[in-house]
Amino acid sequence: MTTTCEDNNLNNADSETFSISNYRRDSSHCFYQNRVIQPLLTDLYQITMAYAYWKSGKTHDVAVFDLFFRNNPFHGEFTIFAGLEECLKFLKNFHYSVGDINYLKTVLPDGVEEEFFEYLGKLTAKEVTVYALDEGSVAFPRVPLIKLEGPLIIVQLLETTLLTLVNYASLMATNAARYRIVAGPVVKLLEFGLRRAQGPDGGLSSSKYAYIGGFDGTSNVLAGKLFNIPVKGTHAHAYITSFSGFDELTNKELPHNHSGITADLLELSIEHRRNLSSVLHISTAEANDGELAAMVSFAIAFPNGFMALVDTYDVKRCFVKRRFSVQNTLNHLYERENGKLLDLNHNCVDNVDISYPFIKRVGNSLRSGILNFCSVALALNDQGYKPVGIRIDSGDLAYLSCLARQSFVKIAEDYDLPWFADLTIVASNDINEETILSLNEQGHKIDCFGIGTHLVTCQKQPALGCVYKLVEINNQPRIKLSQDVDKVTMPGKKTAFRLYGTEGWAVIDILQKDDEEPPQVGKKVLCRHPFHESKRAFVTPARVETLYKVWWKDGAIRQPIPTLEDVRNRVQESLQTLRHDHLRHLNPTPYKVAVSDNLYNFLHDLWLQNQPIGELS
């Protein structure tokens, strides 16, 4: 059974039906929604607090909560806000089903009154109002990503779910955006992380938010279906090693792309391999026949999309680790011609003392793969097809990519095939930001990076640390105090603006009380550090951007939901408003977040009112 746009509200179904399908399309926008995202996806203490609120007669209290983070991740100075779409769909479908209520009766302490469960069964998010940044916007510490106003109990019950929807999404989008920055705008980035992600939901979320952050595609087929993300992939080493020789090829023929005349692709490849041996200075004895058979097989299956993994047989490691005898080594690394022993450059070595140190210097991990790939690529060209390129999954990626590109350029010149020089080189192998930066310094020739573990697990920092704090109740401001100043909350209803300078760069974000007049273009604005009295500055903005929009009110979404492509574009547009020193990898300049003079005084007055006066004795 599959679900459709006409499905009923997923939360009206009992929990037993959740196994039918994890995702469905929302009937209003036809975006996929994870069926796990429901009111029970929360911490138990949210529900026990709700009962205590209810028992205390606080059902009509109106509260304001801010969802924000305190520090940018990955030692950087920016964060990408993501997850808003999922939050809005959660609000739209918020409702405790009969099955949910029955389950809660089994886990809450004895003595919880039946009337409370009846109250829960009628709860919706209709009375909640949500203000938020645009999804895909650059965000900074202390500036709320989302502001919520509504009945205390319902807004409290939303906390954990909204945090789980925003925390990983924003962390993942930020991580992906950082990879895009270090890779540059031209190199392609593919997300290959499903097998290393934290479970299936982590795998799907990482694919979605990597794409938002600037990746070009994913290997995750389900993510491609659900989110309309380009799906890319090649083959594994297992495919290469599953062939041991030419006799395993049951199908060797490939019709010409235009004429339809069939040719034996294996014979063509062997002939090209023989000729390429002198062009690339690689002996045919170094080329693994099983690898060639596998590549021929794959090329016949995908003649218009031939992308081959070329590092399965590492010649250098093979000979060093196995410590072959000199005679055995000669049989593999040298050819005999007219009774004379020739080296790889066809020089006579009969009188040369071939010692083990020399053997260690011979060859590299791509000699077999490159020779076999180029042979099949030329055979495909004979039949009217153009191969795509190669993937390198191990070794010195900078050196090997340059070696591969040199080989492609050499063949392009010798065979008068200009397009051959531009074949795609994809690199994988546990790549992270530092790897790409190092490869950039070394002058690599890689066209595309396939990135998995470090991207999807956010190994450099596994959590963003968004928090959800009460800042006002029944029109009375609330403040949380702490000896750690960073944990002092900003009280009351607030709004935020981004001020731009004359050169077009974003200069500062300013928080101010909700009832203050917004900053005006061309008029000085006093911007103050929220906690350091002496840190203040006047800013005369050339442009003022209002950061918040009303996204949810009176039980309905109030803004058009952007497509994934729109959010993806928003990320890059938003990043382009920041100076380069805010984005650099090493020691980026902190972006300033300030408060208005009015909010500063309000904050510190409330701080003094709530701070107990100590007594010395």
Side-chain angles (χ1 to χ4, degrees):
M1 178 178 177
T2 58
T3 54
T4 67
C5 289
E6 288 72 35
D7 286 340
N8 294 325
N9 187 312
L10 64 93
N11 291 306
N12 288 328
D14 288 342
S15 59
E16 290 84 359
T17 65
F18 290 157
S19 61
I20 294 175
S21 173
N22 282 333
Y23 288 81
R24 72 176 187 93
R25 284 186 180 272
D26 178 276
S27 58
S28 302
H29 304 280
C30 278
F31 292 129
Y32 281 101
Q33 180 173 7
N34 190 335
R35 299 186 68 168
V36 172
I37 301 170
Q38 48 156 314
L40 290 190
L41 186 67
T42 190
D43 295 307
L44 180 61
Y45 84 160
Q46 305 290 5
I47 299 172
T48 56
M49 279 194 295
Y51 178 66
Y53 285 144
W54 180 85
K55 189 72 173 172
S56 302
K58 298 177 78 65
T59 55
H60 298 294
D61 287 13
V62 176
V64 178
F65 280 81
D66 287 347
L67 190 158
F68 62 96
F69 60 94
R70 296 189 177 104
N71 296 289
N72 289 303
F74 311 119
H75 307 293
E77 290 298 337
F78 73 89
T79 300
I80 301 298
F81 170 46
L84 178 61
E85 177 194 326
E86 295 297 332
C87 293
L88 295 174
K89 290 185 290 188
F90 170 60
L91 292 168
K92 182 176 181 181
N93 294 309
F94 186 92
H95 175 65
Y96 291 97
S97 71
V98 173
D100 294 339
I101 298 297
N102 289 336
Y103 174 72
L104 289 175
K105 289 179 180 179
T106 68
V107 296
L108 288 175
D110 293 339
V112 175
E113 298 174 37
E114 183 65 28
E115 288 80 0
F116 173 68
F117 294 113
E118 294 175 2
Y119 171 79
L120 279 187
K122 296 175 183 178
L123 272 185
T124 68
K126 187 174 182 179
E127 296 180 69
V128 176
T129 301
V130 173
Y131 307 82
L133 308 180
D134 284 320
E135 186 164 11
S137 296
V138 173
F140 302 99
R142 294 197 168 277
V143 178
L145 304 173
I146 301 175
K147 305 185 301 174
L148 297 98
E149 181 177 358
L152 171 61
I153 294 178
I154 176 64
V155 179
Q156 182 73 69
L157 286 168
L158 297 174
E159 175 182 1
T160 300
T161 316
L162 294 181
L163 284 172
T164 197
L165 292 175
V166 170
N167 259 312
Y168 181 69
S170 299
L171 185 73
M172 185 66 215
T174 305
N175 201 21
R178 290 173 61 87
Y179 275 94
R180 171 48 67 197
I181 290 170
V182 298
V186 177
V187 173
K188 298 292 184 183
L189 295 175
L190 300 178
E191 177 268 313
F192 284 176
L194 177 58
R195 64 186 60 195
R196 304 288 171 80
Q198 280 86 348
D201 288 302
L204 287 168
S205 294
S206 62
S207 297
K208 177 180 181 180
Y209 295 111
Y211 187 66
I212 283 176
F215 274 59
D216 298 287
T218 178
S219 64
N220 187 338
V221 179
L222 182 58
K225 176 188 176 184
L226 299 183
F227 309 123
N228 196 30
I229 299 172
V231 180
K232 304 291 183 181
T234 55
H235 59 74
H237 290 106
Y239 190 84
I240 298 293
T241 58
S242 70
F243 289 80
S244 58
F246 300 148
D247 58 339
E248 295 180 25
L249 279 175
T250 57
N251 180 22
K252 305 174 186 177
E253 295 185 342
L254 179 68
H256 193 280
N257 193 28
H258 306 297
S259 68
I261 299 174
T262 298
D264 187 314
L265 197 67
L266 177 61
E267 286 187 3
L268 290 175
S269 300
I270 292 173
E271 179 63 26
H272 280 299
R273 188 169 73 171
R274 190 177 299 115
N275 296 330
L276 281 175
S277 177
S278 59
V279 174
L280 300 180
H281 303 294
I282 302 174
S283 168
T284 56
E286 289 187 77
N288 185 284
D289 287 346
E291 181 180 56
L292 182 62
M295 289 185 181
V296 167
S297 170
F298 203 73
I300 290 173
F302 301 101
N304 287 307
F306 180 53
M307 167 75 72
L309 190 57
V310 295
D311 67 336
T312 303
Y313 296 104
D314 187 332
V315 174
K316 177 171 61 178
R317 292 179 181 173
C318 174
F319 287 115
V320 171
K321 287 184 178 180
R322 294 182 185 177
R323 295 177 177 268
F324 285 164
S325 67
V326 172
Q327 184 59 51
N328 203 8
T329 303
L330 295 180
N331 291 338
H332 283 78
L333 294 183
Y334 296 89
E335 297 178 320
R336 288 191 178 275
E337 186 175 296
N338 298 325
K340 293 183 178 181
L341 189 65
L342 305 180
D343 67 12
L344 300 179
N345 294 317
H346 295 271
N347 298 314
C348 181
V349 294
D350 270 342
N351 297 320
V352 176
D353 178 22
I354 301 172
S355 61
Y356 180 69
F358 173 78
I359 296 171
K360 288 201 296 183
R361 295 195 300 268
V362 174
N364 61 70
S365 62
L366 291 192
R367 296 182 75 84
S368 175
I370 283 292
L371 181 57
N372 281 332
F373 166 79
C374 293
S375 302
V376 178
L378 290 176
L380 281 174
N381 177 69
D382 293 343
Q383 289 300 96
Y385 301 94
K386 285 186 180 180
V388 175
I390 63 170
R391 178 162 73 95
I392 307 170
D393 192 47
S394 62
D396 186 333
L397 298 179
Y399 168 71
L400 295 177
S401 68
C402 290
L403 179 69
R405 183 65 68 202
Q406 290 171 3
S407 299
F408 296 160
V409 170
K410 177 66 173 171
I411 292 171
E413 294 172 349
D414 284 20
Y415 285 77
D416 193 22
L417 296 173
W419 55 266
F420 209 100
D422 299 320
L423 288 175
T424 299
I425 299 175
V426 178
S428 45
N429 187 28
D430 216 23
I431 292 169
N432 57 27
E433 280 186 72
E434 286 69 25
T435 304
I436 297 176
L437 287 167
S438 176
L439 289 169
N440 290 343
E441 292 174 356
Q442 296 174 64
H444 69 82
K445 300 299 180 182
I446 297 165
D447 302 297
C448 177
F449 289 105
I451 305 173
T453 305
H454 290 275
L455 173 69
V456 303
T457 64
C458 299
Q459 284 193 348
K460 190 182 292 185
Q461 181 177 325
L464 175 57
C466 284
V467 294
Y468 189 87
K469 297 299 181 182
L470 176 68
V471 295
E472 183 176 292
I473 187 164
N474 297 329
N475 296 316
Q476 297 299 311
R478 291 292 184 265
I479 187 171
K480 175 187 178 296
L481 299 181
S482 172
Q483 290 184 339
D484 183 350
V485 174
D486 284 342
K487 291 191 174 183
V488 174
T489 58
M490 308 287 286
K493 294 172 66 175
K494 301 171 290 296
T495 189
F497 301 90
R498 187 160 294 165
L499 308 184
Y500 292 81
T502 54
E503 295 182 352
W505 303 114
V507 174
I508 196 168
D509 282 12
I510 183 169
L511 286 163
Q512 59 182 52
K513 294 185 68 179
D514 203 46
D515 56 1
E516 292 185 63
E517 287 293 320
Q520 301 295 316
V521 171
K523 292 187 178 180
K524 280 185 180 180
V525 179
L526 178 58
C527 298
R528 305 196 63 169
H529 190 284
F531 305 118
H532 298 287
E533 184 177 17
S534 62
K535 292 185 177 181
R536 53 187 180 169
F538 282 110
V539 176
T540 304
R543 179 164 77 91
V544 176
E545 179 185 0
T546 302
L547 294 183
Y548 296 119
K549 295 176 182 176
V550 177
W551 284 91
W552 173 266
K553 189 174 183 180
D554 298 327
I557 297 172
R558 294 298 174 179
Q559 303 286 340
I561 297 291
T563 65
L564 212 61
E565 289 293 336
D566 292 335
V567 177
R568 173 181 162 86
N569 292 334
R570 173 77 184 178
V571 170
Q572 299 308 316
E573 292 167 1
S574 191
L575 286 170
Q576 288 171 15
T577 65
L578 301 182
R579 295 198 316 265
H580 298 301
D581 56 305
H582 295 308
L583 302 176
R584 66 191 176 204
H585 182 79
L586 186 63
N587 296 324
T589 303
Y591 181 86
K592 291 180 175 59
V593 174
V595 297
S596 67
D597 188 53
N598 196 358
L599 180 55
Y600 176 88
N601 293 322
F602 176 71
L603 163 65
H604 286 265
D605 287 345
L606 195 63
W607 194 338
L608 290 176
Q609 292 172 26
N610 285 271
Q611 181 69 48
I613 299 175
E615 183 175 335
L616 300 178
S617 60

